[in-house]
Amino acid sequence: GAGVSQSPSNKVTEKGKDVELRCDPISGHTALYWYRQRLGQGLEFLIYFQGNSAPDKSGLPSDRFSAERTGESVSTLTIQRTQQEDSAVYLCASSLSLDRIAGPRVYGYTFGSGTRLTVV
Amino acid sequence: RKEVEQDPGPFNVPEGATVAFNCTYSNSASQSFFWYRQDCRKEPKLLMSVYSSGNEDGRFTAQLNRASQYISLLIRDSKLSDSATYLCVVPGFQKLVFGTGTRLLVSP
């Protein structure tokens, strides 16, 4: 597509429920990233995909968080048993990767407009 | 030392002013850098890339000082529409590392 698409744009859920967030990257972008941004805070790295493999899961805050990616397209971030501290904007970004390291360094990222998650 | 550090601001400047932000980074091996702009409740958007000593795009100039490990962003003739948070971005291992941002407020 023309840009990175995320859905839903807003999600309100009750504490303890599971949620699934979706990201559709720019066509041809092999690298995909998930970040979280709490209100008034900076971007917090969650996970990175190169193709459908995730070499860096270091940012996932707990085992309630998981992510997967189908080939070099859609990715889903799943949060199980949501807690109030999970409330944030979840941003997805994609980039070209000529190789696993050069891509984001050369081209930067293109972000989606995010999913605003509110846990009540 | 944090991977990337920025003064959070806010920087309050009148229209037409020149303003500069600095950003320091810890990884001396970093090669390319970025400035992103983030408007309130919006996603970050790429503003400029910096690969060598600097880059200029209209009213915006980004400079890189490798010896001192800092990047700067200069905005000339500030407009009201420049009000935003400016994020300094440094390459980490297989991902970009974002600073927490410097907030700019341009007033009439």
Side-chain angles (χ1 to χ4, degrees):
Chain A
V4 178
S5 178
Q6 290 189 247
S7 62
S9 55
N10 280 285
K11 177 72 177 178
V12 180
T13 189
E14 292 180 353
K15 179 180 172 181
K17 300 276 189 175
D18 297 352
V19 295
E20 192 172 277
L21 313 180
R22 176 188 168 108
C23 172
D24 201 342
I26 291 173
S27 179
H29 280 195
T30 56
L32 185 149
Y33 306 79
W34 284 98
Y35 284 80
R36 176 169 75 176
Q37 189 172 32
R38 292 193 168 107
L39 187 64
Q41 304 291 312
L43 274 73
E44 178 186 359
F45 170 77
L46 297 179
I47 189 169
Y48 153 70
F49 286 93
Q50 175 65 25
N52 64 1
S53 71
D56 189 353
K57 301 180 182 180
S58 63
L60 293 177
S62 76
D63 59 8
R64 297 187 295 105
F65 287 72
S66 63
E68 61 180 27
R69 188 180 184 192
T70 306
E72 294 185 350
S73 60
V74 173
S75 174
T76 54
L77 176 69
T78 302
I79 309 173
Q80 296 178 309
R81 305 180 303 281
T82 51
Q83 304 294 313
Q84 288 185 329
E85 64 263 26
D86 299 335
S87 296
V89 175
Y90 289 81
L91 290 161
C92 175
S94 69
S95 75
L96 286 169
S97 280
L98 297 179
D99 58 52
R100 289 173 65 189
I101 294 176
R105 294 185 178 184
V106 175
Y107 297 105
Y109 294 172
T110 300
F111 281 89
S113 55
T115 294
R116 186 174 300 278
L117 175 66
T118 304
V119 182
V120 297
Chain B
R1 187 177 182 180
K2 288 184 180 179
E3 288 185 272
V4 56
E5 290 195 79
Q6 292 183 255
D7 180 344
F11 284 60
N12 290 285
V13 302
E15 269 188 292
T18 296
V19 62
F21 315 132
N22 279 345
C23 163
T24 58
Y25 61 93
S26 60
N27 184 357
S28 59
S30 297
Q31 295 295 312
S32 55
F33 307 85
F34 305 91
W35 283 100
Y36 275 71
R37 170 193 171 129
Q38 187 172 27
D39 291 289
C40 187
R41 300 176 74 86
K42 298 285 189 181
E43 74 275 19
K45 292 185 178 177
L46 181 63
L47 178 65
M48 296 186 75
S49 308
V50 190
Y51 302 131
S52 56
S53 60
N55 189 16
E56 184 171 331
D57 183 4
R59 298 182 294 108
F60 297 82
T61 301
Q63 291 192 315
L64 169 62
N65 184 318
R66 291 189 190 276
S68 301
Q69 292 182 215
Y70 77 81
I71 315 145
S72 63
L73 178 67
L74 181 77
I75 305 175
R76 290 180 296 276
D77 189 22
S78 300
K79 312 291 185 190
L80 294 177
S81 58
D82 294 334
S83 297
T85 297
Y86 291 83
L87 306 174
C88 174
V89 185
V90 175
F93 181 65
Q94 296 183 346
K95 63 180 180 287
L96 296 178
V97 180
F98 288 78
T100 52
T102 297
R103 191 171 172 209
L104 172 65
L105 300 172
V106 181
S107 54

